[in-house]
Amino acid sequence: MTGCHVMAKPASSRCNLDCRYCFYIEKPRQPRMDEKTLEAFIRQHISAQPGNEVEFAWQGGEPTLAGLSFFQRAVALQKRYAGGKTIRNSLQTNGTLLDEAWCRFLRQENWLVGVSLDGPAELHDRYRLSRSGKPTHERVVRVLARLKEYGVAFNLLTVVSAANVHEPERVWRYLRGLGTPFLQFIPLVERDEQGQLTVESVDAIAWGHFLTRIFDIWVREDIGRIFVQQFDSTLGVWCGQPSQMCVFSENCGHAFALEADGSLYQCDHYVYPEYRLGNLNTTPLIALNAGQQARAFGEAKSKTLSEECQGCDVLRFCGGDCPKHRDKNAKSALCEGYRAFFNHSAPAMRVMRDLIRQRRSPALLMRMLAQQD
């Protein structure tokens, strides 16, 4: 049995902020997930996983709008249906609604929290505003302090957009001082009605420079101290492992988005009618996951690659990128940036790979580079 990942959206795309780059703008917004759908999801998601550990990922919109009592009920249902399996939960949030009651719950139940923060105040507040148009950075930073006070594990998710892409050093040094070793960088790639990149989106050259610049700092100062998905995934491929990120995988699929009404979609980037697989209230998740429609969607990623991509020497690292980022020629809008990063990082990656093969720490590279200076 093939397992699956489900990103559950209990409050649908509803949010208490009004970010300029939100890709949920203009999309239908549903009410909170009801008790029947919640119970069906908990029970079916646990039974659909072949292993002894089950991951629940809660996202949005802003999932905390579903209310603390909703998640307390979710935990109670997880314990009822666990069947001896270990249950883990993660919550991706803008953080602004996490008060002390929330923090007590998150710590007690050992949840991992992902908090969205796009850098220091000047950069974060360019696009991430409240409904009333007020800055949100200060509120998020206060919440981070509260999470640390309560001992809640958290990571930071940074959307790299036109607002911050040209200041990689500033963003990096700011984020790494906020109390978590886990950083995620998500490039903003959105298109307008004419198919052109929006003004808030990053272009390939700027994205490549952003990655290579923070990589240069990381290899000299932060290996083994700060963990970045793109770097970890790339090193894993150098070591003969599959990519850790869906956007870099050979194929995608089996990473679904669950809307509040129980509708299951192929991916959170494809919450459109043509990508709707069904509804958990009428068709079990295990059946939807095993269906031909889900398999075909995943396999399409590699089958629709351009000839140029198929012959590219960095394809094993990028996997052709996320299909959402591809243009009409089946080429990623970020192609040149990724190519620059993979080529630039290759010498250091080879050294770290060799250190790992020798059962030595890749962090030794920092000492090697310091000795060369």
Side-chain angles (χ1 to χ4, degrees), residues 241-259:
Q241 302 169 5
S243 170
Q244 299 176 19
M245 300 176 63
C246 65
V247 296
F248 291 161
S249 297
E250 179 181 2
N251 286 308
C252 49
H254 306 285
F256 307 120
L258 178 68
E259 275 289 358

Side-chain angles (χ1 to χ4, degrees), residues 139-197:
R139 293 167 62 185
V140 177
V141 171
R142 287 201 302 267
V143 165
L144 294 181
R146 186 173 296 136
L147 291 171
K148 287 189 282 187
E149 176 187 351
Y150 279 83
V152 178
F154 68 92
N155 58 40
L156 296 176
L157 186 151
T158 297
V159 174
V160 181
S161 66
N164 57 8
V165 70
H166 297 293
E167 301 201 46
E169 297 93 341
R170 186 180 175 194
V171 170
W172 176 259
R173 297 195 184 281
Y174 178 76
L175 294 176
R176 73 177 185 178
L178 292 177
T180 176
F182 301 104
L183 304 180
Q184 298 181 57
F185 295 101
I186 308 296
L188 180 66
V189 181
E190 294 295 323
R191 300 183 186 276
D192 59 24
E193 294 179 355
Q194 288 72 45
Q196 302 299 312
L197 292 179

Side-chain angles (χ1 to χ4, degrees), residues 110-312:
N110 197 31
W111 282 38
L112 173 64
V113 179
V115 180
S116 297
L117 183 66
D118 292 351
E122 179 189 347
L123 304 181
H124 176 90
D125 289 335
R126 287 184 190 175
Y127 291 166
R128 285 191 179 271
L129 302 175
S130 68
R131 288 286 176 186
S132 59
K134 295 181 179 180
T136 61
H137 177 271
E138 183 178 348
R139 293 167 62 185
V140 177
V141 171
R142 287 201 302 267
V143 165
L144 294 181
R146 186 173 296 136
L147 291 171
K148 287 189 282 187
E149 176 187 351
Y150 279 83
V152 178
F154 68 92
N155 58 40
L156 296 176
L157 186 151
T158 297
V159 174
V160 181
S161 66
N164 57 8
V165 70
H166 297 293
E167 301 201 46
E169 297 93 341
R170 186 180 175 194
V171 170
W172 176 259
R173 297 195 184 281
Y174 178 76
L175 294 176
R176 73 177 185 178
L178 292 177
T180 176
F182 301 104
L183 304 180
Q184 298 181 57
F185 295 101
I186 308 296
L188 180 66
V189 181
E190 294 295 323
R191 300 183 186 276
D192 59 24
E193 294 179 355
Q194 288 72 45
Q196 302 299 312
L197 292 179
T198 62
V199 295
E200 295 86 5
S201 296
V202 296
D203 63 58
I205 301 304
W207 173 237
H209 178 263
F210 183 92
L211 286 178
T212 55
R213 186 64 196 107
I214 62 174
F215 180 80
D216 286 345
I217 301 173
W218 180 78
V219 294
R220 289 183 173 274
E221 303 177 11
D222 297 306
I223 299 174
R225 300 170 186 164
I226 304 294
F227 301 89
V228 179
Q229 279 189 318
Q230 285 89 351
F231 303 167
D232 291 345
S233 175
T234 304
L235 181 56
V237 175
W238 274 100
C239 293
Q241 302 169 5
S243 170
Q244 299 176 19
M245 300 176 63
C246 65
V247 296
F248 291 161
S249 297
E250 179 181 2
N251 286 308
C252 49
H254 306 285
F256 307 120
L258 178 68
E259 275 289 358
D261 67 349
S263 293
L264 193 74
Y265 294 83
Q266 294 279 14
C267 171
D268 191 44
H269 289 150
Y270 290 89
V271 184
Y272 302 102
E274 60 267 37
Y275 297 101
R276 183 178 180 273
L277 290 167
N279 191 294
L280 301 188
N281 290 309
T282 55
T283 307
L285 173 60
I286 195 169
L288 296 173
N289 181 44
Q292 175 59 29
Q293 188 177 352
R295 292 197 301 272
F297 176 84
E299 293 168 357
K301 182 180 182 183
S302 58
K303 289 181 177 180
T304 57
L305 275 175
S306 66
E307 289 188 13
E308 179 182 356
C309 289
Q310 292 176 33
C312 179

